[in-house]
Structure formats: structure tokens, C-alpha cells
Amino acid sequence: MSVVEKLPVIAIFDIGKTNKKLFLWDKNYRIVFEKSQNFPEIPDEDGFMGEDLASVQSWVLASFAEVQQDPRFEVLALNFSGYGATVVFVNAEGKAVLPLYNYLKPFPADLATEFYARYGGESEVARATASPILGSLNSGMMAYWMATASKNQDKGIRWVLHWPNYLSSLFTHQFYTELTSVGCHTHLWDFDHQRYHDWVEKEGLKPLLPDTVLANQTFPMSSSNLPVGVGLHDSSSALIPYLMQFKEPFLLLSTGTWCISMHPFNAQPLTPVELKNDVLSFLQYNGKPVKAARLFAGNEHEIQLKRLQAHFGVDKKAHLKVPYSTHLNALLSDQIKNKMPSLKEANAAFLANSGFEFRDLSHFENFEQAYQQFMVDLVVQQIYSLRLLLDSSPVDRILVDGGFSKNDIYMQLLAFAFPQLAVYGAEVAQASSLGAALAIHSTWNDQEIPINLVSLKRYEACE
């Protein structure tokens, strides 16, 4: 009886806000196994809905045990990518002692006022930490709030771990912080001096933050010598395949619930106007800064699509059949000219709302016409967000990945708006998961990194 040789793989957990996924990648960076799970949110002590930490943790541990026992695979390493702006409060043994708080949980206004007054005001803290003022989305502020709250002083908090780093600790029982998480609009990192901001020490948070390591480091699993990565912030992780394949300057527009424009070649300090327009800097896996602009466009698309579906009585996939038409170029040009605000001013209101919700749907003849107008409204916001990064630091190409990269209207309008640039729909199989595998390549993979990690489709402007 012949023995079937096991396929050597790396296991990557890609833990998003909505979807929790496990992938096995072979040495050629092809996905050979995947599974996913969603979990209903549960209320914290204030009734605010958030992640069911116990259920996610149980699923992660059980799923890894399952693939380790699968006779088809030999797991050589393990790593994680996870959403940012989230911290876990654990005791000395690594057990969570507080809920996993939602980054949308309202931050106490009085605590924020006192904090910023002590450290030079909102503008100075935002500038130094390359983080717009985002409340609980500044996860360092969530850590400060909960770690110093009198109600939590008897909970035995020993460590504050960023979400990807917590997932790693489940397997290593070691506690570390890595730069892609700490440098992700947390308010923790001083970009001027490349260290924690002074407030972290003064407010007593520093002893709760484990030693900082680079994202390519691994530590042995507690039950074996299997190398385990410390995890990465998913946006930073998703950038890695592009940085490894493309050496000429590019901007990556990663589209999903958030549409995040990432400019790895723009190292200019953030201006006050940029900060007020939701531009930030975060750290790459190699410690270098990336300037980024955020737009909640995927969320807006989901909300307005439901409104359109209800009004016109169409099914959930009707928008997939709506064609691009060149007459939309004129609509876009008109809105760029008459509705797009100046890049020299703070325009948070423009970025926060596409304006489509105020349009009377009865003025449209059908769903197709309404959806086309909605996409024009959405793309105008996106153009403004992109120009916040590009006007001061031009590139030759824009790479768009994620859901909108497959939306022909969106892509054609971008190509029309940036005729001097090459606009590509980029496709990478599970970029954040792939990035986490690539980050520790030398630990488990003795082959060369493939040169075809990213496939591109060029969009030419249509007149």
C-alpha cells in the first residue's frame, strides 16, 4: 500500500469584521483549502454590540486542530491577518478579561476632552500620531479608556494586545506587539520619533503593551516547534503582495466596506487639512510609513443598494447587470466641477456622505438609471479621496482591488477621471491572507516567491 505524500502548506487565519476565514497555501502560493464562518454579535456590558470573542476563539482553535489532523496536508507554519482598531485585554495567562469592544462604540466626550487638553490638543496629537480623531477607532484611546477605568481595576488586566497579536498568542502563549497594528491610526505611535508617544508612558499604558517586534518574526507554538507569526493588521498585510511584485510607484485602492487608498511612496508628513479629511499614515510590515485615505464607500453602497432594491422592487443582484454608459462621463465631469470641494480645505462632510440619500428616487425612470447616478455620486467622493494623496505625490498607476474592482461603472469612471494614469483592476487571491503568508516566507518556504502574484486588467477611458 503506497503512502500518499502530504502537501506542505502554511495556515493563515484571516479574521475580518464580518467573515472569519482559514486558508491553506502551498509553496507556490495557491490556495489548497479554505473554510469560513460568521458569528452573530453579542452585547457588551453597556449593551453595545460587538464581537463574540469566545466563539471566534473556539472556532480558530478547533479549525487549526482540524487541518493539523487532515492527512492531506503538512502544516509548516501559521500566521494571522486581522482587522485593526481593536484591542484585547488579557490577564497574565493570556485569558481575555473584558469583552472585545466594537471600534464603533462611542468614546466618552469628557474623557476625550481631558486627554487632548493634556497633550497639546486634538490637532497636535493627530499630527504626531498620524491618526485623525476617530474616537474608539483610535484603538489606543480604547485601551486608555478601559485600562484606566475604575470599574476594571480588579479585572487583572496584564496585557493589552492588538487583535492579530492576540490571535497569535492563543497558539504561542507569548505576548508581542507588531508595528502594522500599533501603527494603524491607534494614537499610540509617534511618527516623528518612531516610538510610542509620550502619553503612553505618562498615562500608565506602556507597561501593559508587550515588546514590539517586526511582522516577519515568528515564535514556536507552545505545544510544538511549529513557527507562528505574530499576526498583521489586514490592510498592511494586503499591501505586501503588491510591494513584492511592483517596484515602480503605485497607489493601491483596496475596496470593501472601507475603500482605503494606500500610497506606499508618499512619505510626506500629514498636514492638518489631510488629517481633517480622514487621511492617516500607518506602518508597513517593514516599519516604513504608508499614507492612506479612507472612505466608507462600501458601507454606503450596501445601504443605498438596499434602498434602491426596495423602491424599484428588484432582486439583490440587479446592480450586477447595470451597464456603464459614456453619458455618465458628463455627469461625473459636472459634479467634479460644481460639487467637488477644494483640496485645500477640510471637507469631512463631503467624504461622509455621497449625497445620494437626498435624491428623490421617483425622479428616476428605473433602477438602472438610479444606480448609475448613485455610482457617479460615489465615485466623485472616491476621486476626491484619491487626490488627497496623488496631487502632492503623483504615480503612474492606480491599482484597484476588492469588490469595486469588478464593478465596470466604478472602474470606467475612475479611468475617465484620471486619464493621465494607468488604472487597473487588480486581482490577488485573498490579499490580506497572502500577505500574512509572504511576511514569514523564509520561515517555511524554500522556493522563490512567484512573480505572478497579482493579475491586472487595464481600464481605458471611454469618451
Side-chain angles (χ1 to χ4, degrees), residues 356-411:
F356 187 78
E357 69 175 91
F358 304 114
R359 293 190 183 274
D360 185 345
L361 298 186
S362 65
H363 291 170
F364 298 101
E365 294 181 7
N366 50 46
F367 172 81
E368 178 178 299
Q369 187 184 87
Y371 183 74
Q372 288 176 330
Q373 178 63 65
F374 170 53
M375 290 308 298
V376 170
D377 293 347
L378 204 63
V379 171
V380 169
Q381 283 185 293
Q382 188 63 72
I383 293 166
Y384 181 84
S385 183
L386 286 165
R387 287 188 58 193
L388 289 168
L389 303 181
L390 291 172
D391 277 22
S392 62
S393 184
V395 296
D396 295 325
R397 58 173 66 182
I398 297 174
L399 312 178
V400 185
D401 76 2
F404 282 127
S405 71
K406 300 174 180 63
N407 186 309
D408 200 48
I409 301 175
Y410 183 95
M411 294 301 298

Side-chain angles (χ1 to χ4, degrees), residues 198-214:
D198 287 345
W199 79 260
V200 180
E201 183 78 50
K202 292 178 180 178
E203 296 297 335
L205 196 61
K206 183 68 161 55
L208 302 180
L209 298 169
D211 291 344
T212 303
V213 299
L214 292 176

Side-chain angles (χ1 to χ4, degrees), residues 299-343:
N299 184 68
E300 173 81 347
H301 186 267
E302 185 176 337
I303 291 170
Q304 295 306 322
L305 198 54
K306 288 178 180 176
R307 176 175 170 237
L308 288 169
Q309 289 162 356
H311 180 84
F312 290 101
V314 297
D315 65 45
K316 292 183 178 181
K317 295 185 177 181
H319 66 290
L320 301 175
K321 301 175 184 176
V322 178
Y324 163 77
S325 173
T326 54
H327 85 275
L328 300 179
N329 295 347
L331 294 179
L332 184 67
S333 296
D334 181 69
Q335 291 197 201
I336 291 173
K337 180 179 178 180
N338 298 310
K339 293 188 177 182
M340 182 181 289
S342 168
L343 291 163

Side-chain angles (χ1 to χ4, degrees), residues 44 46 48 85 87 89 101-119 122 125 132-149 151-152 185-188 199 203 205:
D44 63 20
D46 299 317
F48 200 86
V87 289
F89 302 86
Y101 295 107
N102 193 325
Y103 56 50
L104 300 177
K105 185 180 176 74
F107 193 86
D110 56 345
L111 187 62
T113 300
E114 293 171 6
F115 175 87
Y116 291 115
R118 282 200 294 277
Y119 296 103
E122 290 187 352
V125 174
I133 307 301
L134 300 170
S136 295
L137 263 165
N138 300 127
S139 56
M141 297 299 285
M142 174 63 79
Y144 163 67
W145 175 18
M146 292 301 171
T148 60
K151 66 177 182 176
N152 293 331
H185 57 77
T186 62
H187 263 11
L188 293 169
W199 79 260
E203 296 297 335
L205 196 61

Side-chain angles (χ1 to χ4, degrees), residues 36-55:
S36 64
Q37 183 71 44
N38 298 336
F39 296 94
E41 292 187 329
I42 60 173
D44 63 20
E45 71 270 20
D46 299 317
F48 200 86
M49 302 303 285
E51 195 80 78
D52 184 345
L53 178 57
S55 293

Side-chain angles (χ1 to χ4, degrees), residues 168-326:
S168 175
S169 76
L170 295 176
F171 294 87
T172 64
H173 297 168
Q174 298 188 58
F175 311 110
Y176 293 97
T177 301
E178 51 70 47
L179 288 175
T180 70
S181 291
V182 79
C184 160
H185 57 77
T186 62
H187 263 11
L188 293 169
W189 197 251
D190 184 332
F191 277 71
D192 292 337
H193 301 99
Q194 291 301 303
R195 57 171 170 77
Y196 282 116
H197 193 282
D198 287 345
W199 79 260
V200 180
E201 183 78 50
K202 292 178 180 178
E203 296 297 335
L205 196 61
K206 183 68 161 55
L208 302 180
L209 298 169
D211 291 344
T212 303
V213 299
L214 292 176
N216 61 0
Q217 289 186 245
T218 61
F219 298 89
M221 188 174 292
S222 59
S223 59
S224 69
N225 289 321
L226 189 83
V228 180
V230 290
L232 297 92
H233 170 228
D234 55 9
S235 293
S236 301
S237 188
L239 191 55
I240 292 174
Y242 294 91
L243 290 169
M244 289 192 171
Q245 182 152 338
F246 303 110
K247 303 309 177 187
E248 297 299 316
F250 64 86
L251 181 143
L252 174 63
L253 173 53
S254 182
T255 66
T257 301
W258 287 94
C259 289
I260 303 176
S261 306
M262 293 177 273
H263 195 331
F265 306 91
N266 185 339
Q268 299 171 17
L270 289 167
T271 66
V273 170
E274 286 175 336
L275 283 161
K276 290 179 180 178
N277 280 324
D278 215 10
V279 179
L280 52 91
S281 289
F282 63 85
L283 296 176
Q284 300 178 41
Y285 75 110
N286 55 14
K288 294 181 180 179
V290 175
K291 190 176 280 192
R294 305 181 319 138
L295 190 66
F296 213 15
N299 184 68
E300 173 81 347
H301 186 267
E302 185 176 337
I303 291 170
Q304 295 306 322
L305 198 54
K306 288 178 180 176
R307 176 175 170 237
L308 288 169
Q309 289 162 356
H311 180 84
F312 290 101
V314 297
D315 65 45
K316 292 183 178 181
K317 295 185 177 181
H319 66 290
L320 301 175
K321 301 175 184 176
V322 178
Y324 163 77
S325 173
T326 54

